[in-house]
Amino acid sequence: MATALRAPAIGSSLSRVDGRLKVTGQALYAAEHQISGVTHAALVGAEIAAGVVRGVDATAALALPGVLAVISHENAPRLARVDDAELAVFQSSAVAYRGQLVAAVVAESLETARHAAGLVRVEYDAREHDVALRPDHPRIYQPEKVNPAYPSDTAHGDADAALGGADVVVDETYETPAVHNNPMEPHASIAVWAGGELTVYESTQGAAGTRDSLAELFEVDPRAVRVVSPHVGGGFGSKGKARPQIVVAALAARVVGRPVKLALTRREMFSLTGYRTPTIQRLRLAANSDGALQAIVHDVLEQTSTITEFAEQTATATRIMYAAANRRTTHRLLALDVPTPSWMRAPGECPGMYALESALDELAIACRIDPIDLRIRNEPEVEPESGKPWSSRNLVACLRDGAARFGWSDRDPTPGVRRDGNWLIGTGVASSTYPTYRSGSRAAVEARVDGRFTVSVCGADIGTGARTILTQIAADTLDVPTDLIDVELGDSALPRGPVAGGSMGTGSWGGAVVRACEALRAKLAELGGAIPDDGVEALADTADEVAALPKLARHAFGAQFAEVRVNPKTGEVRVPRLLGMFAVGRIMNPKLARSQFIGGMTMGLSMALFEQSLLDLEFGDYLNHDFAQYHVPSAADVLDIDAAWVDEHDDQLNPMGSKGIGEIGIVGTAAAIANAVHHATGIRVRRLPITSERLIA
Ligand code: MOS
């Protein structure tokens, strides 16, 4: 790639290439696009959790000056059926959960639309709802697969026999609550029909997939639909596919014959954009007295809705973490009268590793072994259940180097003995992991006659820094300075790349950008360096390259260290220190990588101490659907938080040697904090979040 004269861009801490646009307000987010003649939509959500809409009385709303339409199942244009029933808005009178859309008002102004939405009278026939996840429910079932396509259950050896005959057994149940994604920018759409063509300005992690969903729903050629999403204010999975609001905007624009803008309120996000399922997880570990694991059993119960199945892969990390001859994982689901759960940063790995890594800590105590030594003792040679060799695995280095950096070696394992005034102090550790995915992608690069290069791929920069990383990759492959590169992302008209999900953006889009730039260099060499007036373009498609990758176990690993202070009188928990040590292949940009890691770790701190969506059983809905009541950390909660990494070289992934880093930071953080709380207090909290009442009860 790079030659001697120019310092490589990859590996440098290039600041965000779109940072100036963002801080000066010039970067346009979905709702900020100026569209002439735009109208505004406001939503009416169901006030029952289960039943049917008997009638919609729009009289008062329609009487309001400026109201253009009230749309409900009674008058909405018909949509084609698609796999995701959440997108079938206004297609039937059935209500599957509280907050499900039953009507929308379109008006000349947002204020009028909102006011009119409050005037729409909806009558229901409610039936009794069932919204509580419980392990004795008669309708619990086994899904065929778990997200995205893992087997629901696995079994190796005889785990029950090993549990029966073991020196030491840990058998505990851990629970995580429902939690909701809250990116800074709520979901927003502006839909514009012109003739039979639809353009949507959207906040999405995947413009191409959203385009396909709209084409299917409205039964138009995908080439007649364009989804434009140049800047996205966070997603975490909630913007990984089309959500109901984009369908409402497109439907409404068709009904009123004008562009329609619809930005969700923070409250509406708690019904319409997915959430992390609550889980009930039973972990059983059997070990010899020296800590050598003989059996690992992880049984998961989680929920889905009655209209669409989402089965989170909560136990899949347990399949790859530690050696043990006897093992079993199971996932069970219960379909309730609730919105469909969906992706939220490290779905599966995140709640699953809270349970597994808490159980490992309990085992270390039972075996009187240091928790780091216990993990190292059970390090597997190959991926435990598949038998595949690792492309690279440096969990042990993360644990050792992290321990040295954190100051672990003189730790007294006795709980509840360190004090600073009124505060008890403890430290905890947990492992982290996230799979390394790579998808085939297309990309294009054009050499322009003005000497600049335009890289284009339908990826998305959801705040991760993707635009910057792709600039670095192109600069090195073309051997030109980064300031000659322009990167176009977030537009379904660009060469197709995968969704910004699964921590695979850099590996997937970046791999294609390398190939496109190599092809461009070859073309330029043929032209002897002369660029014609209309430029030179090269395209790449890495579908075949990715399909031909060797069958290896590809995962990123890490170790999370936490120090906590607990006030035993009030139950208050503070986290003065968090350290994440990661082995994630080549670090493309230390500044952006650190930002991804500490962002994930902050979200893990939030999971440990704050976030929970509280169900009101009587009303059948999550109660705390605003930031007054749904708590996320403020700056005062996040103290000394640091991320570091070990040198890892892995040439079995993509041309850059990088692993994904967007999600691993959240994994393991909650367990490290819970383990530290136990070390500080002697109290094992097996139900997140670790609130005061769970420590002083
Ligand atoms: Mo992430 S939950 O794969 O967007």
Side-chain angles (χ1 to χ4, degrees), residues 205 236-237 343-347 434 500-503 663:
Q205 294 171 236
F236 308 114
W343 306 302
M344 181 164 173
R345 206 172 198 169
Y434 193 79
S503 298
E663 287 162 278

mmCIF file with all atom_site columns, all heavy atoms in Angstrom, residues 205 236-237 343-347 434 500-503 663, ligand 1:
data_model
loop_
_atom_site.group_PDB
_atom_site.id
_atom_site.type_symbol
_atom_site.label_atom_id
_atom_site.label_alt_id
_atom_site.label_comp_id
_atom_site.label_asym_id
_atom_site.label_entity_id
_atom_site.label_seq_id
_atom_site.pdbx_PDB_ins_code
_atom_site.Cartn_x
_atom_site.Cartn_y
_atom_site.Cartn_z
_atom_site.occupancy
_atom_site.B_iso_or_equiv
_atom_site.pdbx_formal_charge
_atom_site.auth_seq_id
_atom_site.auth_comp_id
_atom_site.auth_asym_id
_atom_site.auth_atom_id
_atom_site.pdbx_PDB_model_num
ATOM   1   N  N   . GLN A 1 205 ? -29.052 3.290   9.479  1.00 0.00 ? 205 GLN A N   1
ATOM   2   C  CA  . GLN A 1 205 ? -27.763 2.596   9.411  1.00 0.00 ? 205 GLN A CA  1
ATOM   3   C  C   . GLN A 1 205 ? -27.612 1.855   8.082  1.00 0.00 ? 205 GLN A C   1
ATOM   4   O  O   . GLN A 1 205 ? -26.536 1.356   7.782  1.00 0.00 ? 205 GLN A O   1
ATOM   5   C  CB  . GLN A 1 205 ? -27.659 1.593   10.565 1.00 0.00 ? 205 GLN A CB  1
ATOM   6   C  CG  . GLN A 1 205 ? -27.622 2.258   11.930 1.00 0.00 ? 205 GLN A CG  1
ATOM   7   C  CD  . GLN A 1 205 ? -27.743 1.292   13.090 1.00 0.00 ? 205 GLN A CD  1
ATOM   8   O  OE1 . GLN A 1 205 ? -28.626 1.436   13.932 1.00 0.00 ? 205 GLN A OE1 1
ATOM   9   N  NE2 . GLN A 1 205 ? -26.852 0.303   13.171 1.00 0.00 ? 205 GLN A NE2 1
ATOM   10  N  N   . PHE A 1 236 ? -27.105 2.421   17.061 1.00 0.00 ? 236 PHE A N   1
ATOM   11  C  CA  . PHE A 1 236 ? -26.926 1.296   17.996 1.00 0.00 ? 236 PHE A CA  1
ATOM   12  C  C   . PHE A 1 236 ? -27.742 0.072   17.603 1.00 0.00 ? 236 PHE A C   1
ATOM   13  O  O   . PHE A 1 236 ? -27.940 -0.820  18.424 1.00 0.00 ? 236 PHE A O   1
ATOM   14  C  CB  . PHE A 1 236 ? -27.261 1.732   19.428 1.00 0.00 ? 236 PHE A CB  1
ATOM   15  C  CG  . PHE A 1 236 ? -26.532 2.967   19.863 1.00 0.00 ? 236 PHE A CG  1
ATOM   16  C  CD1 . PHE A 1 236 ? -27.210 4.157   20.118 1.00 0.00 ? 236 PHE A CD1 1
ATOM   17  C  CD2 . PHE A 1 236 ? -25.156 2.946   19.986 1.00 0.00 ? 236 PHE A CD2 1
ATOM   18  C  CE1 . PHE A 1 236 ? -26.519 5.296   20.492 1.00 0.00 ? 236 PHE A CE1 1
ATOM   19  C  CE2 . PHE A 1 236 ? -24.464 4.085   20.369 1.00 0.00 ? 236 PHE A CE2 1
ATOM   20  C  CZ  . PHE A 1 236 ? -25.145 5.265   20.619 1.00 0.00 ? 236 PHE A CZ  1
ATOM   21  N  N   . GLY A 1 237 ? -28.228 0.015   16.383 1.00 0.00 ? 237 GLY A N   1
ATOM   22  C  CA  . GLY A 1 237 ? -29.071 -1.102  15.950 1.00 0.00 ? 237 GLY A CA  1
ATOM   23  C  C   . GLY A 1 237 ? -30.507 -0.673  15.705 1.00 0.00 ? 237 GLY A C   1
ATOM   24  O  O   . GLY A 1 237 ? -31.216 -1.261  14.906 1.00 0.00 ? 237 GLY A O   1
ATOM   25  N  N   . TRP A 1 343 ? -32.392 -5.094  17.656 1.00 0.00 ? 343 TRP A N   1
ATOM   26  C  CA  . TRP A 1 343 ? -30.966 -4.949  17.926 1.00 0.00 ? 343 TRP A CA  1
ATOM   27  C  C   . TRP A 1 343 ? -30.681 -3.759  18.822 1.00 0.00 ? 343 TRP A C   1
ATOM   28  O  O   . TRP A 1 343 ? -31.226 -2.683  18.636 1.00 0.00 ? 343 TRP A O   1
ATOM   29  C  CB  . TRP A 1 343 ? -30.221 -4.732  16.609 1.00 0.00 ? 343 TRP A CB  1
ATOM   30  C  CG  . TRP A 1 343 ? -30.478 -5.773  15.571 1.00 0.00 ? 343 TRP A CG  1
ATOM   31  C  CD1 . TRP A 1 343 ? -30.272 -7.117  15.671 1.00 0.00 ? 343 TRP A CD1 1
ATOM   32  C  CD2 . TRP A 1 343 ? -30.984 -5.555  14.244 1.00 0.00 ? 343 TRP A CD2 1
ATOM   33  N  NE1 . TRP A 1 343 ? -30.611 -7.727  14.488 1.00 0.00 ? 343 TRP A NE1 1
ATOM   34  C  CE2 . TRP A 1 343 ? -31.039 -6.810  13.597 1.00 0.00 ? 343 TRP A CE2 1
ATOM   35  C  CE3 . TRP A 1 343 ? -31.373 -4.416  13.540 1.00 0.00 ? 343 TRP A CE3 1
ATOM   36  C  CZ2 . TRP A 1 343 ? -31.482 -6.969  12.284 1.00 0.00 ? 343 TRP A CZ2 1
ATOM   37  C  CZ3 . TRP A 1 343 ? -31.816 -4.559  12.233 1.00 0.00 ? 343 TRP A CZ3 1
ATOM   38  C  CH2 . TRP A 1 343 ? -31.875 -5.817  11.610 1.00 0.00 ? 343 TRP A CH2 1
ATOM   39  N  N   . MET A 1 344 ? -29.804 -3.967  19.765 1.00 0.00 ? 344 MET A N   1
ATOM   40  C  CA  . MET A 1 344 ? -29.236 -2.863  20.540 1.00 0.00 ? 344 MET A CA  1
ATOM   41  C  C   . MET A 1 344 ? -27.790 -3.252  20.825 1.00 0.00 ? 344 MET A C   1
ATOM   42  O  O   . MET A 1 344 ? -27.519 -4.356  21.288 1.00 0.00 ? 344 MET A O   1
ATOM   43  C  CB  . MET A 1 344 ? -30.020 -2.650  21.832 1.00 0.00 ? 344 MET A CB  1
ATOM   44  C  CG  . MET A 1 344 ? -29.508 -1.506  22.695 1.00 0.00 ? 344 MET A CG  1
ATOM   45  S  SD  . MET A 1 344 ? -30.766 -1.064  23.933 1.00 0.00 ? 344 MET A SD  1
ATOM   46  C  CE  . MET A 1 344 ? -29.843 0.117   24.920 1.00 0.00 ? 344 MET A CE  1
ATOM   47  N  N   . ARG A 1 345 ? -26.910 -2.389  20.559 1.00 0.00 ? 345 ARG A N   1
ATOM   48  C  CA  . ARG A 1 345 ? -25.453 -2.578  20.642 1.00 0.00 ? 345 ARG A CA  1
ATOM   49  C  C   . ARG A 1 345 ? -25.045 -3.913  21.274 1.00 0.00 ? 345 ARG A C   1
ATOM   50  O  O   . ARG A 1 345 ? -25.267 -4.158  22.443 1.00 0.00 ? 345 ARG A O   1
ATOM   51  C  CB  . ARG A 1 345 ? -24.827 -1.429  21.417 1.00 0.00 ? 345 ARG A CB  1
ATOM   52  C  CG  . ARG A 1 345 ? -23.365 -1.179  21.049 1.00 0.00 ? 345 ARG A CG  1
ATOM   53  C  CD  . ARG A 1 345 ? -22.852 0.083   21.697 1.00 0.00 ? 345 ARG A CD  1
ATOM   54  N  NE  . ARG A 1 345 ? -21.630 0.581   21.056 1.00 0.00 ? 345 ARG A NE  1
ATOM   55  C  CZ  . ARG A 1 345 ? -21.101 1.771   21.303 1.00 0.00 ? 345 ARG A CZ  1
ATOM   56  N  NH1 . ARG A 1 345 ? -21.679 2.590   22.139 1.00 0.00 ? 345 ARG A NH1 1
ATOM   57  N  NH2 . ARG A 1 345 ? -20.011 2.155   20.702 1.00 0.00 ? 345 ARG A NH2 1
ATOM   58  N  N   . ALA A 1 346 ? -24.384 -4.744  20.469 1.00 0.00 ? 346 ALA A N   1
ATOM   59  C  CA  . ALA A 1 346 ? -23.995 -6.101  20.870 1.00 0.00 ? 346 ALA A CA  1
ATOM   60  C  C   . ALA A 1 346 ? -25.177 -6.913  21.383 1.00 0.00 ? 346 ALA A C   1
ATOM   61  O  O   . ALA A 1 346 ? -25.126 -7.470  22.484 1.00 0.00 ? 346 ALA A O   1
ATOM   62  C  CB  . ALA A 1 346 ? -22.858 -6.093  21.890 1.00 0.00 ? 346 ALA A CB  1
ATOM   63  N  N   . PRO A 1 347 ? -26.255 -6.978  20.582 1.00 0.00 ? 347 PRO A N   1
ATOM   64  C  CA  . PRO A 1 347 ? -27.369 -7.836  20.999 1.00 0.00 ? 347 PRO A CA  1
ATOM   65  C  C   . PRO A 1 347 ? -26.833 -9.250  21.222 1.00 0.00 ? 347 PRO A C   1
ATOM   66  O  O   . PRO A 1 347 ? -26.023 -9.738  20.450 1.00 0.00 ? 347 PRO A O   1
ATOM   67  C  CB  . PRO A 1 347 ? -28.335 -7.778  19.806 1.00 0.00 ? 347 PRO A CB  1
ATOM   68  C  CG  . PRO A 1 347 ? -27.525 -7.324  18.632 1.00 0.00 ? 347 PRO A CG  1
ATOM   69  C  CD  . PRO A 1 347 ? -26.429 -6.472  19.210 1.00 0.00 ? 347 PRO A CD  1
ATOM   70  N  N   . TYR A 1 434 ? -16.638 -10.064 20.837 1.00 0.00 ? 434 TYR A N   1
ATOM   71  C  CA  . TYR A 1 434 ? -17.628 -9.758  19.815 1.00 0.00 ? 434 TYR A CA  1
ATOM   72  C  C   . TYR A 1 434 ? -17.171 -10.435 18.521 1.00 0.00 ? 434 TYR A C   1
ATOM   73  O  O   . TYR A 1 434 ? -15.982 -10.431 18.222 1.00 0.00 ? 434 TYR A O   1
ATOM   74  C  CB  . TYR A 1 434 ? -17.796 -8.237  19.594 1.00 0.00 ? 434 TYR A CB  1
ATOM   75  C  CG  . TYR A 1 434 ? -19.038 -7.967  18.779 1.00 0.00 ? 434 TYR A CG  1
ATOM   76  C  CD1 . TYR A 1 434 ? -20.298 -7.985  19.376 1.00 0.00 ? 434 TYR A CD1 1
ATOM   77  C  CD2 . TYR A 1 434 ? -18.959 -7.784  17.398 1.00 0.00 ? 434 TYR A CD2 1
ATOM   78  C  CE1 . TYR A 1 434 ? -21.440 -7.818  18.619 1.00 0.00 ? 434 TYR A CE1 1
ATOM   79  C  CE2 . TYR A 1 434 ? -20.099 -7.615  16.639 1.00 0.00 ? 434 TYR A CE2 1
ATOM   80  C  CZ  . TYR A 1 434 ? -21.336 -7.633  17.256 1.00 0.00 ? 434 TYR A CZ  1
ATOM   81  O  OH  . TYR A 1 434 ? -22.468 -7.483  16.502 1.00 0.00 ? 434 TYR A OH  1
ATOM   82  N  N   . ALA A 1 500 ? -24.648 -0.661  8.492  1.00 0.00 ? 500 ALA A N   1
ATOM   83  C  CA  . ALA A 1 500 ? -23.684 -0.323  9.543  1.00 0.00 ? 500 ALA A CA  1
ATOM   84  C  C   . ALA A 1 500 ? -24.120 -1.053  10.802 1.00 0.00 ? 500 ALA A C   1
ATOM   85  O  O   . ALA A 1 500 ? -24.725 -0.485  11.700 1.00 0.00 ? 500 ALA A O   1
ATOM   86  C  CB  . ALA A 1 500 ? -23.645 1.179   9.778  1.00 0.00 ? 500 ALA A CB  1
ATOM   87  N  N   . GLY A 1 501 ? -23.856 -2.338  10.855 1.00 0.00 ? 501 GLY A N   1
ATOM   88  C  CA  . GLY A 1 501 ? -24.251 -3.161  11.993 1.00 0.00 ? 501 GLY A CA  1
ATOM   89  C  C   . GLY A 1 501 ? -23.269 -4.295  12.141 1.00 0.00 ? 501 GLY A C   1
ATOM   90  O  O   . GLY A 1 501 ? -22.405 -4.516  11.282 1.00 0.00 ? 501 GLY A O   1
ATOM   91  N  N   . GLY A 1 502 ? -23.390 -5.015  13.249 1.00 0.00 ? 502 GLY A N   1
ATOM   92  C  CA  . GLY A 1 502 ? -22.508 -6.148  13.469 1.00 0.00 ? 502 GLY A CA  1
ATOM   93  C  C   . GLY A 1 502 ? -21.031 -5.752  13.519 1.00 0.00 ? 502 GLY A C   1
ATOM   94  O  O   . GLY A 1 502 ? -20.160 -6.589  13.310 1.00 0.00 ? 502 GLY A O   1
ATOM   95  N  N   . SER A 1 503 ? -20.753 -4.483  13.789 1.00 0.00 ? 503 SER A N   1
ATOM   96  C  CA  . SER A 1 503 ? -19.364 -3.998  13.859 1.00 0.00 ? 503 SER A CA  1
ATOM   97  C  C   . SER A 1 503 ? -18.576 -4.355  12.598 1.00 0.00 ? 503 SER A C   1
ATOM   98  O  O   . SER A 1 503 ? -17.379 -4.632  12.671 1.00 0.00 ? 503 SER A O   1
ATOM   99  C  CB  . SER A 1 503 ? -18.645 -4.556  15.099 1.00 0.00 ? 503 SER A CB  1
ATOM   100 O  OG  . SER A 1 503 ? -19.276 -4.128  16.282 1.00 0.00 ? 503 SER A OG  1
ATOM   101 N  N   . GLU A 1 663 ? -18.953 -2.474  18.873 1.00 0.00 ? 663 GLU A N   1
ATOM   102 C  CA  . GLU A 1 663 ? -19.816 -3.069  19.887 1.00 0.00 ? 663 GLU A CA  1
ATOM   103 C  C   . GLU A 1 663 ? -19.077 -3.690  21.062 1.00 0.00 ? 663 GLU A C   1
ATOM   104 O  O   . GLU A 1 663 ? -19.627 -3.807  22.158 1.00 0.00 ? 663 GLU A O   1
ATOM   105 C  CB  . GLU A 1 663 ? -20.752 -4.090  19.216 1.00 0.00 ? 663 GLU A CB  1
ATOM   106 C  CG  . GLU A 1 663 ? -21.811 -3.359  18.404 1.00 0.00 ? 663 GLU A CG  1
ATOM   107 C  CD  . GLU A 1 663 ? -22.519 -4.216  17.369 1.00 0.00 ? 663 GLU A CD  1
ATOM   108 O  OE1 . GLU A 1 663 ? -21.977 -4.413  16.265 1.00 0.00 ? 663 GLU A OE1 1
ATOM   109 O  OE2 . GLU A 1 663 ? -23.622 -4.666  17.658 1.00 0.00 ? 663 GLU A OE2 1
HETATM 110 MO MO1 . MOS B 2 .   ? -25.438 -3.026  15.897 1.00 0.00 ? 1   MOS B MO1 1
HETATM 111 S  S1  . MOS B 2 .   ? -26.851 -3.646  17.301 1.00 0.00 ? 1   MOS B S1  1
HETATM 112 O  O1  . MOS B 2 .   ? -25.154 -4.457  15.029 1.00 0.00 ? 1   MOS B O1  1
HETATM 113 O  O2  . MOS B 2 .   ? -26.217 -1.831  14.963 1.00 0.00 ? 1   MOS B O2  1
#
